[in-house]
Amino acid sequence: MRVIVAEDSALLREGLVRLLEDEGHRVIASVGDAEALLAAVAEEEPDVVVADVRMPPTHTDEGLRAAVRLRRERPGIGVLVLSQYVERRYATRLFTENTGGVGYLLKDRVMEVDGFLDALERVGAGGASFDPEVVRQLLAGGEGGGLTERERSVLELMAQGHTNPAIAERLFVSVSAVEKHANAIFEKFGLAATPGYNRRVLAILRHLGA
């Protein structure tokens, strides 16, 4: 995939570039601030953008605002946002009407190379991938829709982008059991009739983060 990396820490930025290129991806630009990110996207048309939430000049939400803008204006580009901490208001701003090609990971997760690359590829393919800690904190922020412990586990894995067979393997249950739990989750959030797997999962996360 063609990737643009936006990260103000030169050390982490170069580490990401090397990791991605070693894994066969083409890094077409690496930048240190949000304005440079938007300019690079306009010039290069990447498949995926990997962007830090906090970048110059204020180191608050410049990267996040750039990511939201990209999702709105260029929905065909996947956006994977990295953050030092779980910031609910930032995560939920990514849950827009555009339901594909979005991810939110903690920076520590980059060290788990296989998981990071898996998330990148899911986002690049139009899917969604959210850090398990992000989902746990969203669930912990309220009643969590009245989900059972097992349903919470299934939702966490769904939000990471795992398929039903993959969830079944991780939870040591049958695929039919996962489907049953997923259907119960969608029913509890009034989303059973909503088309699209990503759409339903992101709608739940948006609800939990509201």
Side-chain angles (χ1 to χ4, degrees), residues 143-187:
E143 296 180 359
L147 302 181
T148 66
E149 184 176 347
R150 178 62 82 186
E151 288 165 355
R152 284 171 174 253
S153 298
V154 169
L155 177 58
E156 286 179 18
L157 292 167
M158 287 165 56
Q160 291 172 54
H162 295 296
T163 62
N164 286 350
I167 294 172
E169 183 178 350
R170 283 166 172 75
L171 296 181
F172 303 102
V173 298
S174 66
V175 174
S176 62
V178 173
E179 292 171 349
K180 175 180 147 186
H181 291 308
N183 288 335
I185 293 167
F186 296 142
E187 286 282 356

Side-chain angles (χ1 to χ4, degrees), residues 30-50:
S30 61
V31 299
D33 62 72
E35 286 191 11
L37 166 61
L38 294 172
V41 169
E43 182 176 344
E44 299 289 350
E45 286 291 335
D47 298 310
V48 185
V49 165
V50 178

Side-chain angles (χ1 to χ4, degrees), residues 42-95:
E43 182 176 344
E44 299 289 350
E45 286 291 335
D47 298 310
V48 185
V49 165
V50 178
D52 186 10
V53 164
R54 301 186 177 209
M55 288 195 287
T58 68
H59 295 278
T60 54
D61 65 348
E62 282 87 352
L64 185 279
R65 286 190 280 113
V68 170
R69 177 175 169 182
L70 289 174
R71 277 178 53 72
R72 186 185 312 120
E73 298 178 358
R74 299 174 181 268
I77 297 175
V79 176
L80 180 60
V81 169
L82 304 180
S83 179
Q84 191 70 42
Y85 312 102
V86 178
E87 301 182 80
R88 290 180 55 177
R89 69 186 186 281
Y90 291 165
T92 53
R93 282 174 64 186
L94 291 173
F95 309 153

Side-chain angles (χ1 to χ4, degrees), residues 187-198:
E187 286 282 356
K188 288 180 179 181
F189 284 93
L191 297 168
T194 303
Y197 194 81
N198 278 340

Side-chain angles (χ1 to χ4, degrees), residues 100-173:
V102 60
Y104 185 110
L105 294 182
L106 294 180
K107 286 187 176 181
D108 287 348
R109 205 70 59 185
V110 176
M111 304 305 294
E112 300 172 12
V113 174
D114 289 343
F116 168 67
L117 293 172
D118 190 45
L120 180 80
E121 288 166 9
R122 283 200 189 101
V123 169
S129 186
F130 287 83
D131 195 287
E133 189 56 32
V134 172
V135 183
R136 288 189 195 108
Q137 291 204 25
L138 290 176
L139 283 166
E143 296 180 359
L147 302 181
T148 66
E149 184 176 347
R150 178 62 82 186
E151 288 165 355
R152 284 171 174 253
S153 298
V154 169
L155 177 58
E156 286 179 18
L157 292 167
M158 287 165 56
Q160 291 172 54
H162 295 296
T163 62
N164 286 350
I167 294 172
E169 183 178 350
R170 283 166 172 75
L171 296 181
F172 303 102
V173 298

